[in-house]
Amino acid sequence: MASALFALALLAALAGPTALRLRRRPGLVTGRDGRLSTSTTLALAWTVILVWLLLTILAYGLTAGGGIGWFAGEHGPLSSLTTVYLPLLGGPYVAMIGAKTVVGIRVENGTMAKPAPKPTGSGQRPLRELIANDSGRTDLVDLQYVALSAVTMLYVVLFFLADVGGGLPRLPAEIWALTGAPAGAYLVNKMATRANPVITRVTVDAAVLVVEGGGFGPEARVELDSTALPTGYDPATGTLSAQLPASGAPAAFTVVVTSRGLRSDPYHHAPAPLPTTTPEPAPVPAPDPAPAPTAGRAQHPAG
C-alpha cells in the first residue's frame, strides 16, 4: 500500500506541473495551425507515463527492493521494457512524426486546407480538438485513437499500482497493437483526407454574408440553407462574400461552401444569446431628518 501511495504521489508530481504548464502555454501540443495536436498530445502522455514507471521502479529498487541486485536477472523489473513498453511508445511517436510530415507536405502542395482556428474567449484551446476535425466535428479516427490510447494507459497504470514491487507490469506483448493500430489508422487518415474547404466563422454584415476559413478559391460558392447565393472571393483575405436574399438571413441558418467540386462540413450559425442582467433594486428614499431640539428651557409667560 505504501509503495502504491508513493507511486501515485510521484505521478501527481510529474503530471500535475506538466498539465498546468500546457494549460497556460499549450504551444508544445499544438500544431502549426494553432489547434491541439492529437498525435503530439498522446505521444507526450505516453512519455510521462513511461518516465513515471522508470522513476518509481528506480526509487523502489534502491529502497524497498534491496539495491542494485534487484534489477538484475532475466525476469527483473525492466525485463519487458524492450518487448512491450518501447513499442507502446513507438506507435504514437511514429504517428506524430508521420502526421507532421504528411500534413506539412500537403499544405505546401495545396492539397489540404489548414485554416486558423476560431479564437476562444479564454485564449485556451478546448480539449475537444483532440477528437475533432478542423471544422469542429467529431472525427471517428481521432476518437478511436484517443479512446484506445486512454484505455491502454489506464490498464498500465492500474496494473502497476497493484504490484509496484513487481516492476513493469507483465502485459501481453501484443498489447502494443492497442496503440500501434490506432496510430497507423490515424496516419493513414491524414494521408487520405481530401482538400475539402473548411469554414471557421460566418458573420452577417448588412445584406452580405461573410465566410472565413480555408480551401476556398475563385470558383467557390456559398449555400445558405441549401440555396446557392451569388458569391465573391477576396484573394487578399481568403474570405467569401455572398449576397443575401431580399428577405435577409433567418435567425439561425446553415452554411455550406463548395469549391473544386468538394463540399465543406455544414456550419450552423445561431445568434449569440443575450446576456441576462439582474435588474437593480429601486433606490430607497432617505428618511427626512428629525427636527433639531431647541436649546435651553422653554420660556413661560409671567402670570
Side-chain angles (χ1 to χ4, degrees):
M1 177 62 71
S3 301
L5 292 177
F6 170 77
L8 282 175
L10 185 57
L11 179 60
L14 286 174
T18 302
L20 184 61
R21 168 67 172 78
L22 294 178
R23 180 175 176 82
R24 293 177 177 176
R25 297 181 180 179
L28 180 62
V29 292
T30 55
R32 295 195 300 178
D33 57 358
R35 295 178 178 84
L36 291 179
S37 171
T38 303
S39 58
T40 304
T41 302
L42 292 181
L44 177 62
W46 273 114
T47 301
V48 171
I49 288 180
L50 186 57
V51 169
W52 166 66
L53 291 173
L54 295 177
L55 287 178
T56 306
I57 292 172
L58 176 62
Y60 182 90
L62 296 179
T63 54
I68 304 262
W70 182 69
F71 294 91
E74 181 181 355
H75 301 288
L78 302 179
S79 58
S80 58
L81 179 63
T82 57
T83 58
V84 176
Y85 289 91
L86 290 185
L88 274 178
L89 184 66
Y93 268 91
V94 170
M96 179 188 70
I97 297 171
K100 288 181 179 296
T101 303
V102 169
V103 171
I105 293 175
R106 296 195 63 188
V107 169
E108 292 177 1
N109 293 340
T111 59
M112 177 180 285
K114 297 293 289 184
K118 292 191 298 183
T120 59
S122 62
Q124 300 170 352
R125 304 312 308 167
L127 290 178
R128 191 179 183 280
E129 290 183 343
L130 295 176
I131 59 171
N133 58 20
D134 293 343
S135 298
R137 302 182 68 186
T138 300
D139 189 297
L140 181 59
V141 176
D142 290 5
L143 176 61
Q144 60 88 30
Y145 186 22
V146 173
L148 290 178
S149 297
V151 170
T152 310
M153 292 178 196
L154 184 63
Y155 194 93
V156 170
V157 170
L158 292 182
F159 268 74
F160 179 66
L161 292 176
D163 185 16
V164 176
L168 293 175
R170 301 299 194 269
L171 303 177
E174 294 80 9
I175 199 173
W176 65 267
L178 287 178
T179 59
Y186 174 85
L187 181 56
V188 171
N189 183 54
K190 291 296 182 182
M191 299 172 62
T193 301
R194 298 184 301 171
N196 291 62
V198 177
I199 302 174
T200 57
R201 189 184 181 197
V202 172
T203 56
V204 178
D205 185 7
V208 177
L209 189 71
V210 180
V211 181
E212 302 177 19
F216 304 153
E219 74 287 349
R221 291 294 176 265
V222 175
E223 294 180 13
L224 175 66
D225 290 337
S226 302
T227 301
L229 302 178
T231 307
Y233 174 68
D234 185 355
T237 60
T239 59
L240 299 176
S241 300
Q243 189 69 33
L244 291 172
S247 58
F253 53 87
T254 300
V255 175
V256 173
V257 172
T258 302
S259 181
R260 299 182 301 275
L262 301 174
R263 291 170 60 87
S264 69
D265 288 334
Y267 184 97
H268 303 286
H269 180 276
L274 297 176
T276 57
T277 57
T278 305
E280 297 182 1
V284 179
D288 295 333
T294 305
R297 258 182 5 176
Q299 299 294 326
H300 298 282

